[in-house]
Amino acid sequence: MKNILAYSILLILIFSCNQNDFSDTELYFLTDKASYSVNDYFKITVVVSPKNGEKKIRIKKNLNNLKISFHATSTKLGFSQELKKHFIEGPSLTKDESEYIDEFTISKTHPFKKTFKGQISESKESIILEIPELNITDSVAKSKLLVNPKLTIKGNFHTIYSVKEEYFIPKAIEILIE
């Protein structure tokens, strides 16, 4: 009897985790421009599209399962800042999680899209990138961008209840400094 109960719980957990992954999807970023100057406003859009047909995805309302990083391409070590942290935990067996998780049915013609607005500013030695909606303020040394003004945006989505992740296609932008 204990074995049947254990197997049943295991199967429930496996199937509930499998319905929420980003496998067989294309993840990429769109920006409103290819290059930006200091004091520009920018828009970055996160896009998730299925490779075929329709697919259901679940995303935390606070976007804690989204990770984005910026990398300066002018240095060997690069510049990297994790903008969102994620916490991995099991599904609740007793409460409604719709308060914390949104479910989307996506297709090629109707992908998931979320646009964030930000601003680029500067201090004496840094270029500052701010995205208020995500409570992000980040910076990169001007000296790195003077050598090569390109930044690469990278990221991934983690499934809600497992460690599986799918990566975004990297997106390059330029930050022009006068």
Side-chain angles (χ1 to χ4, degrees), residues 80-98:
S80 176
Q81 175 64 44
E82 186 176 304
L83 300 179
K84 297 299 277 179
K85 300 281 185 195
H86 64 276
F87 299 95
I88 300 167
E89 54 190 50
S92 171
L93 298 175
T94 58
K95 73 176 184 181
D96 178 20
E97 294 182 328
S98 62

Side-chain angles (χ1 to χ4, degrees), residues 16-108:
S16 68
C17 291
N18 286 339
Q19 72 180 7
N20 177 39
D21 67 23
F22 294 91
S23 63
D24 298 322
T25 61
E26 297 174 321
L27 292 87
Y28 56 94
F29 299 109
L30 299 173
T31 55
D32 56 331
K33 297 190 296 185
S35 63
Y36 299 92
S37 298
V38 175
N39 297 321
D40 273 351
Y41 288 92
F42 66 91
K43 292 180 184 177
I44 182 171
T45 303
V46 171
V47 182
V48 181
S49 177
K51 292 180 180 176
N52 299 306
E54 287 189 346
K55 181 164 180 74
K56 285 191 180 189
I57 59 170
R58 296 189 320 160
I59 298 174
K60 289 187 178 182
K61 289 184 180 187
N62 62 8
L63 298 173
N64 275 349
N65 60 324
L66 170 64
K67 187 167 86 171
I68 299 173
S69 59
F70 290 89
H71 301 269
T73 56
S74 63
T75 63
K76 291 180 183 174
L77 296 177
F79 164 72
S80 176
Q81 175 64 44
E82 186 176 304
L83 300 179
K84 297 299 277 179
K85 300 281 185 195
H86 64 276
F87 299 95
I88 300 167
E89 54 190 50
S92 171
L93 298 175
T94 58
K95 73 176 184 181
D96 178 20
E97 294 182 328
S98 62
E99 179 181 347
Y100 307 105
I101 299 169
D102 284 328
E103 184 172 288
F104 301 92
T105 300
I106 58 172
S107 67
K108 282 283 195 189

Side-chain angles (χ1 to χ4, degrees), residues 79-174:
F79 164 72
S80 176
Q81 175 64 44
E82 186 176 304
L83 300 179
K84 297 299 277 179
K85 300 281 185 195
H86 64 276
F87 299 95
I88 300 167
E89 54 190 50
S92 171
L93 298 175
T94 58
K95 73 176 184 181
D96 178 20
E97 294 182 328
S98 62
E99 179 181 347
Y100 307 105
I101 299 169
D102 284 328
E103 184 172 288
F104 301 92
T105 300
I106 58 172
S107 67
K108 282 283 195 189
T109 56
H110 293 23
F112 171 80
K113 290 184 179 181
K114 176 70 176 165
T115 300
F116 302 101
K117 296 177 183 177
Q119 183 177 15
I120 301 167
S121 58
E122 70 180 315
S123 66
K124 186 176 178 180
E125 296 181 7
S126 298
I127 298 298
I128 302 163
L129 300 135
E130 294 180 88
I131 304 175
E133 185 177 352
L134 296 174
N135 197 26
I136 293 169
T137 302
D138 215 340
S139 64
V140 63
K142 284 183 187 179
S143 60
K144 293 178 182 179
L145 293 174
L146 287 171
V147 173
N148 182 350
K150 292 187 181 192
L151 286 179
T152 302
I153 306 168
K154 296 182 179 182
N156 64 51
F157 257 123
H158 283 265
T159 60
I160 300 290
Y161 301 119
S162 74
V163 295
K164 188 171 183 177
E165 57 191 26
E166 295 292 330
Y167 291 91
F168 285 83
I169 297 168
K171 172 76 173 175
I173 60 171
E174 288 185 331

